[in-house]
């Protein structure tokens, strides 16, 4: 695969964008007077800005790349991550939970836990959250730098350090405000940068209906494109719900409808959107309660429409690959550079072997699934007259049939963008990366400074001291994420374990918040031990279950396989459901058995039944969260109906 | 907080849009260049869209500034 060369015009666009995001940081520097300004934007930002920042912080590079990948692998059912797995939770956050986050004047989500329960729960939550954000940004940095390296030939180290330096510079100067403002700019950049690519792709395949028709053929024979070993009903890629209704074997995700609706739609989605400080922090920076509550609702509008921008490209890629239009194919996995020498040796030896054994030997040396005909042709040609190493490498790579789904989005950018538009689309990709990273960095520096440093290390210091700490930890946070990126590029398996462990902690978390906010009787003991119990349940569940096609080990089942799931996704959704239920029941039980340590007065503003209702009757109807939420949910139902 | 974000967004997209329009006009003769984008001069077309978007942002920012003169640091808190 030839890396694309950028023209001068592309670099100008890239530089213009970089100059503007850094410029915003410098312009905001003079407004950073107190630590509240730095960590919370002085709670002064209008709702449309926090709303777009809310969604932009969530729309990191991994989301963009990963959703296109899922669009190719699973088709339109991927939209459930949006219409089932996001919108309802965002509406719930706005209507029911925001009053407590914003109203309690907590400066972070862990701090809310401290106000509601006690130090232990906060400590557990803040430390896991802080470590998790660093790892999350490291993983996405690694993925991006690798992608840029493979597809554009950019130097891995250089892209890693330059991108991080830009983010560091503007967050260091302008704190959360700067992150939020640039996120709004990045939001528009992402939307305006990818729209023309999707438009061209859709035009190229002949429109929506033509794509649907092709996808029907794909579904009946996905093996041709190495998408799946099974075959499906024609609508498996182009209908959101019908394949799910047929049970886990009827859809490429391998998920049943209960896991989808309860596991993803309730447990995982509410757990992410309603408790993750990364997004909640944006709403906490809003200028007043009403703006804070409108933040997730404003964010929900683009979120609802994003599938067209991020999932559709994956479906388009599959369609193009099926018709092999202009020779397009899904990007293949790259052969590791260390595998070339043994592979070439295997090809050389192959002429003397039986075709079947030769094919197997070459495949083993390469380490990836290969195309039999292409390998046989290569072996024959090489035996007739020895080929150059360079040619051999190219031919071997060409023979790889395993798909690298993460490359799908960039393969479309390469296919459709002439110089000019190419610069814009790449800038959009970098913008998504930076918005995600800045989100992680600002959430990390706040939690570190307020919930770890101020709470346990240096209690009664001046405000200026904490602001200084915030700047220092911003630098440290970025450096730690860079370290994590290198770690991820070298020890992929170790990274999987780390993510797994965080998954265990996050799965039950929403139960703790739900009971804490809506049941005054929940005690500090109940919350802490319930959360611990939920986490242990996830670990245990993981140890005892396995997804089909995986071997016992890091993917689960290392303590014996009690239950096996049709896919990893199903395993994840069910794990979350179990952990949530365990945490809920344990917290309930322990709370009933222990004493409350906080009085009703202390819980005012923190618990639903002890907080005066917010009266929003004076507001115009179109500004009331409940009304807006209902409209959004209705829109969501309509979308599900259209793509049923 | 101090800065109206619509200014930088408006200026940036207007500039990038203008750049694409100019580039699109200059390269309009080059059919080979635009073979990738299905024969459409996508730079020119999308440049106009970006320019328009930037202009709308700037117009909003300008109107907001006129109706509410800068309050300095007084409006905070």
């Amino acid at each position: 695969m030839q890396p694309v060369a950028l023209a001068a015009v592309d670099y100008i666009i890239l530089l213009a964008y970089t100059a503007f995001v850094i410029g915003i940081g410098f312009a905001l520097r003079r407004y950073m007077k107190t630590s509240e300004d730095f960590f919370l934007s002085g709670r002064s930002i209008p709702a449309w800005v926090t709303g777009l920042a809310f969604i932009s912080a969530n729309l990191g590079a991994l989301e963009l790349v990963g959703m296109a990948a899922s669009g190719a692998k699973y088709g339109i059912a991927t939209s459930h991550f949006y219409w089932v797995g996001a919108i309802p939770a965002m509406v719930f956050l706005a209507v029911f939970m925001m009053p407590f986050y914003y109203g309690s004047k907590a400066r972070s989500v862990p701090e809310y836990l401290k106000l509601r329960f006690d130090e232990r729960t906060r400590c557990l939550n803040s430390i896991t959250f802080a470590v998790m954000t660093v790892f999350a940004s490291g993983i996405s940095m690694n993925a991006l730098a690798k992608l840029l390296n493979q597809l554009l030939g950019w130097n891995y180290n250089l892209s890693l350090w330059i991108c991080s330096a830009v983010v560091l510079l503007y967050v260091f100067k302008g704190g959360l405000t700067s992150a939020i403002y640039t996120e709004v700019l990045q939001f528009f950049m992402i939307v305006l940068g990818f729209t023309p690519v999707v438009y061209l792709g859709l035009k190229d395949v002949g429109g929506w209906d033509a794509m649907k028709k092709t996808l029907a053929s794909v579904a009946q024979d996905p093996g041709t494109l190495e998408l799946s070993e099974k075959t499906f009903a024609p609508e498996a890629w182009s209908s959101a719900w019908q394949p799910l209704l047929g049970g886990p074997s009827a859809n490429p995700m391998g998920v049943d409808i209960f896991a989808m609706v309860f596991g993803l739609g309730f447990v995982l989605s509410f757990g992410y959107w309603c408790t993750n400080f990364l997004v909640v922090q944006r709403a906490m920076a809003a200028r007043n309660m009403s703006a804070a509550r409108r933040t997730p609702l404003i964010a929900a509008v683009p979120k609802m429409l994003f599938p067209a921008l991020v999932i559709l490209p994956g479906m388009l890629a599959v369609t193009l690959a099926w018709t092999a239009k202009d020779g397009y194919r899904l990007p293949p996995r790259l052969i590791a550079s260390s595998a070339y020498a043994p592979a070439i040796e295997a090809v050389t030896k192959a002429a003397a072997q039986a075709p079947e054994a030769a094919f197997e030997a070459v495949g083993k040396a390469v380490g990836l699934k290969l195309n039999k005909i292409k390998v046989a042709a290569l072996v024959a040609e090489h035996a007739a007259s020895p080929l150059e190493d360079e040619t051999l490498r190219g031919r071997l790579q060409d023979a790889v049939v395993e798909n690298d789904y993460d490359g799908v989005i960039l393969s479309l950018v390469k296919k459709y963008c002439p110089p000019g538009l190419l610069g814009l689309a790449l800038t959009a990709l970098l913008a998504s990366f930076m918005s995600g990273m800045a989100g992680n960095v600002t959430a990390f520096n706040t939690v570190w400074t307020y919930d770890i440093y101020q709470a346990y290390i240096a209690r009664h210091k001046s405000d200026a001291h904490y602001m200084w700490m915030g700047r220092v930890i911003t630098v440290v946070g970025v450096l730690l994420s860079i370290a994590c990126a290198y770690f991820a590029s070298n020890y992929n398996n170790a990274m999987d374990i780390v993510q797994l462990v965080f998954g265990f902690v996050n799965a039950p978390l929403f139960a703790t918040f739900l009971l804490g906010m809506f049941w005054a009787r929940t005690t500090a003991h109940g919350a802490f031990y319930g959360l611990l119990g939920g986490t242990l349940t996830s670990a245990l569940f993981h140890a005892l279950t396995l997804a089909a096609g995986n071997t016992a080990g890091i993917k689960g089942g290392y303590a014996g396989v009690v239950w096996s799931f049709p896919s990893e996704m199903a395993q994840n959704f069910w794990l979350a459901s179990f952990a949530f239920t365990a945490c809920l029941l344990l917290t309930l039980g322990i709370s009933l058995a222990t004493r409350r340590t906080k009085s009703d007065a202390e819980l005012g503003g923190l618990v639903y039944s002890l907080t005066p209702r917010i009266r929003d009757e004076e507001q115009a109807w179109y500004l009331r969260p409940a009304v807006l939420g209902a409209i959004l949910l209705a829109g969501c139902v309509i979308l599900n109906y259209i793509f049923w | 907080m101090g800065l109206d974000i619509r200014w930088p967004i408006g200026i940036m997209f207007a500039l990038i849009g203008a750049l694409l329009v100019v580039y699109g006009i200059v390269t309009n003769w080059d059919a080979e260049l635009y073979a990738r984008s299905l024969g459409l001069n996508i730079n020119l077309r999308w440049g106009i869209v970006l320019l328009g978007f930037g202009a709308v942002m700037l117009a909003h920012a300008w109107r907001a500034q006129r109706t509410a003169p800068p309050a300095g640091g007084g409006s905070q808190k």
Side-chain angles (χ1 to χ4, degrees):
Chain A
M1 205 179 319
Q2 282 300 320
V4 189
L6 295 192
V9 60
D10 301 320
Y11 282 112
I12 295 175
I13 294 174
L14 214 61
L15 286 178
Y17 159 80
T18 312
F20 269 91
V21 289
I22 295 178
I24 289 174
F26 276 83
L28 290 170
R29 182 185 44 171
R30 60 203 174 96
Y31 299 107
M32 297 295 122
K33 296 198 177 76
T34 66
S35 73
E36 288 255 312
D37 293 334
F38 192 78
F39 295 118
L40 293 165
S41 299
R43 299 186 195 261
S44 63
I45 299 187
W48 75 271
V49 174
T50 50
L52 294 182
F54 184 98
I55 206 58
S56 191
N58 163 257
L59 186 70
L62 276 191
E63 166 111 352
L64 211 66
V65 166
M67 282 298 153
S70 300
K73 272 191 278 187
Y74 312 126
I76 206 168
T78 311
S79 327
H80 291 319
F81 284 94
Y82 291 72
W83 301 334
V84 174
I87 307 296
M90 292 164 88
V91 170
F92 187 82
L93 170 67
V95 175
F96 294 106
M97 291 178 75
M98 221 47 231
F100 307 111
Y101 282 140
Y102 195 88
S104 68
K105 295 286 165 207
R107 296 167 302 181
S108 67
V109 168
E111 190 164 63
Y112 171 84
L113 286 176
K114 181 208 150 192
L115 295 173
R116 174 63 184 86
F117 302 117
D118 61 3
E119 281 293 348
R120 287 172 303 172
T121 320
R122 173 214 226 171
C123 181
L124 180 65
N125 184 244
S126 57
I127 289 174
T128 47
F129 180 80
V131 181
M132 185 177 70
T133 44
V134 168
F135 273 98
S137 75
I139 291 171
S140 103
M141 280 157 82
N142 171 49
L144 182 91
K146 239 172 153 166
L147 214 61
L148 293 175
N149 177 257
Q150 287 174 3
L151 291 154
L152 298 172
W154 290 2
N155 181 290
Y156 176 92
N157 298 311
L158 213 60
S159 4
L160 194 68
W161 284 89
I162 290 181
C163 287
S164 315
V166 172
V167 173
L168 172 63
L169 205 56
Y170 69 70
V171 174
F172 186 85
K173 287 294 174 194
L176 179 65
T177 315
S178 175
I180 287 181
Y181 277 8
T182 46
E183 277 157 8
V184 175
L185 184 136
Q186 284 148 353
F187 168 82
F188 288 116
M189 193 75 219
I190 297 164
V191 172
L192 293 170
F194 281 119
T195 306
V197 182
V198 176
Y199 166 75
L200 288 172
L202 201 57
K203 192 173 152 69
D204 196 21
V205 300
W208 178 264
D209 289 321
M211 180 185 80
K212 249 178 115 169
K213 226 184 228 164
T214 313
L215 287 176
S217 321
V218 174
Q220 287 164 297
D221 183 18
T224 312
L225 296 176
E226 295 291 325
L227 290 168
S228 167
E229 283 151 21
K230 291 187 265 184
T231 56
F232 299 96
E235 69 278 358
W237 258 262
S238 52
S239 150
W241 286 98
Q242 282 174 49
L244 275 174
L245 292 175
S249 59
N251 62 77
M253 287 179 170
V255 171
D256 57 292
I257 203 149
F258 180 83
M260 181 60 88
V261 174
F262 186 74
L264 172 70
F266 183 63
V267 177
L268 284 173
S269 122
F270 282 68
Y272 175 81
W273 293 100
C274 301
T275 73
N276 195 309
F277 185 52
L278 170 73
V279 287
V280 174
Q281 186 179 29
R282 270 74 200 146
M284 283 179 164
R287 62 156 67 120
N288 54 38
M289 173 69 88
S290 160
R293 295 180 76 194
R294 277 202 307 277
T295 297
L297 297 172
I298 291 170
V301 177
K303 185 75 183 172
M304 205 149 75
L305 304 175
F306 270 162
L309 202 63
V310 300
I311 297 172
L312 189 54
M315 296 163 65
L316 290 170
V318 169
T319 309
L320 288 167
W322 179 265
T323 50
K325 199 160 173 163
D326 309 318
Y328 179 84
R329 57 177 293 199
L330 292 172
R333 278 174 184 276
L334 294 187
I335 300 176
S337 48
S338 60
Y340 275 118
I344 290 173
E345 203 185 309
V347 171
T348 315
K349 277 190 200 157
Q353 294 170 301
E356 202 59 40
F359 177 66
E360 211 161 278
V362 175
K364 213 172 151 196
V366 170
L368 295 166
K369 204 173 159 194
L370 299 174
N371 180 309
K372 219 173 207 167
I373 303 170
K374 285 185 181 172
V375 171
L378 177 63
V379 168
E381 271 181 56
H382 188 55
S385 70
L387 298 165
E388 301 262 327
D389 266 17
E390 195 62 30
T391 324
L392 276 167
R393 282 163 184 253
R395 294 279 297 268
L396 277 169
Q397 178 60 57
D398 182 58
V400 174
V401 292
E402 273 180 59
N403 298 317
D404 176 18
Y405 294 101
D406 287 349
V408 160
I409 186 100
L410 271 187
S411 75
L412 291 185
V413 167
K414 278 170 73 171
K415 180 167 165 57
Y416 291 122
C417 295
L421 193 64
L422 180 65
L424 191 72
L426 283 177
T427 308
L429 184 76
L430 287 182
S432 79
F433 165 76
M434 288 185 190
S435 68
M437 178 168 177
N440 279 315
V441 170
T442 47
F444 171 77
N445 67 18
T446 307
V447 165
W448 164 266
T449 307
Y450 283 153
D451 292 299
I452 300 175
Y453 185 74
Q454 189 179 28
Y456 306 112
I457 299 172
R459 263 166 199 277
H460 305 289
K461 297 282 172 131
S462 66
D463 189 68
H465 176 80
Y466 293 123
M467 180 135 151
W468 167 83
M469 188 67 227
R471 289 219 155 104
V472 171
I473 200 65
T474 304
V475 179
V476 174
V478 169
L479 290 176
L480 282 175
S481 343
I482 294 178
C484 282
Y486 281 111
F487 182 74
S489 78
N490 291 320
Y491 304 100
N492 228 330
N493 292 332
M495 221 51 176
D496 286 346
I497 298 178
V498 171
Q499 280 191 299
L500 197 66
V501 172
F502 290 127
F504 294 165
V505 185
N506 281 339
L509 198 57
F510 184 61
T512 308
F513 279 88
L514 194 64
L515 287 172
M517 277 185 183
F518 299 96
W519 192 43
R521 184 70 185 77
T522 318
T523 64
H525 283 299
F528 182 69
Y529 292 108
L531 190 55
L532 270 189
T535 305
L536 289 177
T537 306
S538 358
L540 189 70
F541 185 92
H542 183 258
L544 294 173
T545 59
L546 194 63
N550 286 337
T551 45
I554 185 173
K555 300 284 187 190
Y558 47 83
V561 181
V562 174
W563 189 262
S564 123
F565 289 99
S567 70
E568 250 178 84
M569 205 185 274
Q571 187 189 15
N572 278 338
F573 292 175
W574 277 102
L575 180 143
S577 308
F578 266 78
F580 172 86
T581 313
C583 179
L584 192 81
L585 295 178
L586 279 171
T587 311
L588 271 170
I590 299 171
S591 290
L592 288 173
T594 49
R595 275 173 180 283
R596 271 175 62 178
T597 47
K598 297 211 169 180
S599 64
D600 279 3
E602 283 175 293
L603 294 183
L606 299 167
V607 178
Y608 189 74
S609 59
L610 303 173
T611 307
R613 289 298 88 81
I614 296 174
R615 300 179 53 83
D616 47 24
E617 284 81 21
E618 302 97 52
Q619 287 185 337
W621 66 268
Y622 56 83
L623 290 177
R624 289 182 210 154
V627 177
L628 291 174
I631 295 175
L632 283 166
L633 290 178
C636 205
V637 169
I638 293 173
L639 279 174
N640 275 300
Y641 175 75
I642 295 175
F643 296 99
W644 181 266
Chain B
M1 182 169 288
L3 175 80
D4 186 339
I5 183 63
R6 285 171 291 197
W7 285 113
I9 293 179
I11 297 171
M12 189 187 86
F13 280 104
L15 281 180
I16 294 181
L19 177 70
L20 284 183
V21 167
V22 172
Y23 187 74
I25 293 173
V26 174
T27 55
N28 197 33
W29 56 273
D30 193 345
E32 201 182 324
L33 187 77
Y34 291 109
R36 262 197 244 174
S37 52
L38 315 175
L40 291 177
N41 187 337
I42 194 79
N43 284 333
L44 179 59
R45 292 179 186 214
W46 200 248
I48 293 171
V49 174
L50 294 187
L51 201 56
F53 174 75
V56 169
M57 276 285 164
L58 288 175
H60 274 284
W62 186 67
R63 217 181 50 184
Q65 197 180 44
R66 256 193 5 163
T67 47
S75 69
Q76 288 181 24
K77 291 273 152 75

Short mmCIF file of all heavy atoms in Angstrom, two decimals, chain A residues 622-638:
data_model
loop_
_atom_site.label_atom_id
_atom_site.label_comp_id
_atom_site.label_asym_id
_atom_site.label_seq_id
_atom_site.Cartn_x
_atom_site.Cartn_y
_atom_site.Cartn_z
N TYR A 622 -39.71 25.51 25.23
CA TYR A 622 -38.64 24.88 24.44
C TYR A 622 -37.29 24.91 25.15
O TYR A 622 -36.31 24.43 24.62
CB TYR A 622 -38.55 25.54 23.06
CG TYR A 622 -38.35 27.03 23.10
CD1 TYR A 622 -37.09 27.57 23.27
CD2 TYR A 622 -39.44 27.90 23.01
CE1 TYR A 622 -36.91 28.94 23.32
CE2 TYR A 622 -39.26 29.26 23.06
CZ TYR A 622 -38.00 29.78 23.22
OH TYR A 622 -37.82 31.13 23.30
N LEU A 623 -37.25 25.49 26.34
CA LEU A 623 -36.01 25.45 27.11
C LEU A 623 -36.08 24.45 28.26
O LEU A 623 -35.11 24.19 28.93
CB LEU A 623 -35.68 26.83 27.68
CG LEU A 623 -35.26 27.90 26.68
CD1 LEU A 623 -35.04 29.23 27.38
CD2 LEU A 623 -33.97 27.48 25.96
N ARG A 624 -37.26 23.88 28.50
CA ARG A 624 -37.40 22.96 29.64
C ARG A 624 -36.79 21.61 29.31
O ARG A 624 -37.14 21.00 28.29
CB ARG A 624 -38.88 22.77 29.98
CG ARG A 624 -39.48 24.01 30.60
CD ARG A 624 -40.92 23.75 30.97
NE ARG A 624 -41.67 24.99 30.87
CZ ARG A 624 -42.98 25.07 30.64
NH1 ARG A 624 -43.67 23.96 30.48
NH2 ARG A 624 -43.57 26.23 30.57
N PRO A 625 -35.93 21.13 30.19
CA PRO A 625 -35.24 19.85 29.92
C PRO A 625 -36.20 18.70 29.65
O PRO A 625 -35.96 17.89 28.75
CB PRO A 625 -34.44 19.60 31.18
CG PRO A 625 -34.24 20.95 31.78
CD PRO A 625 -35.45 21.75 31.43
N ALA A 626 -37.29 18.62 30.43
CA ALA A 626 -38.19 17.48 30.26
C ALA A 626 -38.81 17.49 28.87
O ALA A 626 -38.92 16.44 28.22
CB ALA A 626 -39.27 17.49 31.34
N VAL A 627 -39.19 18.67 28.41
CA VAL A 627 -39.81 18.77 27.08
C VAL A 627 -38.80 18.42 26.00
O VAL A 627 -39.07 17.61 25.10
CB VAL A 627 -40.36 20.21 26.86
CG1 VAL A 627 -40.93 20.34 25.46
CG2 VAL A 627 -41.40 20.55 27.91
N LEU A 628 -37.62 19.00 26.12
CA LEU A 628 -36.58 18.72 25.14
C LEU A 628 -36.22 17.23 25.12
O LEU A 628 -36.06 16.62 24.07
CB LEU A 628 -35.31 19.53 25.45
CG LEU A 628 -35.41 21.04 25.23
CD1 LEU A 628 -34.15 21.71 25.71
CD2 LEU A 628 -35.64 21.34 23.77
N GLY A 629 -36.14 16.67 26.33
CA GLY A 629 -35.81 15.25 26.43
C GLY A 629 -36.85 14.39 25.74
O GLY A 629 -36.52 13.45 25.01
N ALA A 630 -38.13 14.74 25.94
CA ALA A 630 -39.20 13.96 25.32
C ALA A 630 -39.10 14.06 23.80
O ALA A 630 -39.26 13.06 23.09
CB ALA A 630 -40.55 14.46 25.81
N ILE A 631 -38.80 15.26 23.30
CA ILE A 631 -38.68 15.42 21.85
C ILE A 631 -37.55 14.56 21.31
O ILE A 631 -37.67 13.88 20.29
CB ILE A 631 -38.44 16.91 21.50
CG1 ILE A 631 -39.67 17.74 21.88
CG2 ILE A 631 -38.13 17.07 20.01
CD1 ILE A 631 -39.49 19.22 21.69
N LEU A 632 -36.41 14.58 22.03
CA LEU A 632 -35.26 13.79 21.59
C LEU A 632 -35.58 12.30 21.56
O LEU A 632 -35.23 11.59 20.61
CB LEU A 632 -34.07 14.03 22.52
CG LEU A 632 -33.34 15.35 22.30
CD1 LEU A 632 -32.42 15.63 23.46
CD2 LEU A 632 -32.54 15.28 21.01
N LEU A 633 -36.24 11.82 22.61
CA LEU A 633 -36.57 10.40 22.65
C LEU A 633 -37.51 10.04 21.52
O LEU A 633 -37.37 8.99 20.88
CB LEU A 633 -37.19 10.04 24.01
CG LEU A 633 -36.21 10.07 25.18
CD1 LEU A 633 -36.93 9.75 26.48
CD2 LEU A 633 -35.06 9.10 24.97
N ALA A 634 -38.45 10.94 21.23
CA ALA A 634 -39.37 10.69 20.13
C ALA A 634 -38.58 10.60 18.81
O ALA A 634 -38.81 9.72 17.98
CB ALA A 634 -40.42 11.78 20.06
N GLY A 635 -37.63 11.52 18.64
CA GLY A 635 -36.80 11.50 17.43
C GLY A 635 -36.04 10.20 17.30
O GLY A 635 -35.91 9.62 16.22
N CYS A 636 -35.57 9.74 18.44
CA CYS A 636 -34.81 8.49 18.48
C CYS A 636 -35.69 7.31 18.06
O CYS A 636 -35.26 6.44 17.30
CB CYS A 636 -34.32 8.31 19.91
SG CYS A 636 -32.88 7.33 20.03
N VAL A 637 -36.92 7.31 18.56
CA VAL A 637 -37.85 6.24 18.19
C VAL A 637 -38.12 6.28 16.69
O VAL A 637 -38.12 5.24 16.01
CB VAL A 637 -39.18 6.39 18.98
CG1 VAL A 637 -40.25 5.45 18.43
CG2 VAL A 637 -38.94 6.12 20.46
N ILE A 638 -38.29 7.48 16.16
CA ILE A 638 -38.55 7.61 14.72
C ILE A 638 -37.37 7.06 13.91
O ILE A 638 -37.57 6.31 12.95
CB ILE A 638 -38.82 9.09 14.36
CG1 ILE A 638 -40.14 9.53 15.00
CG2 ILE A 638 -38.88 9.28 12.84
CD1 ILE A 638 -40.44 11.00 14.86
#
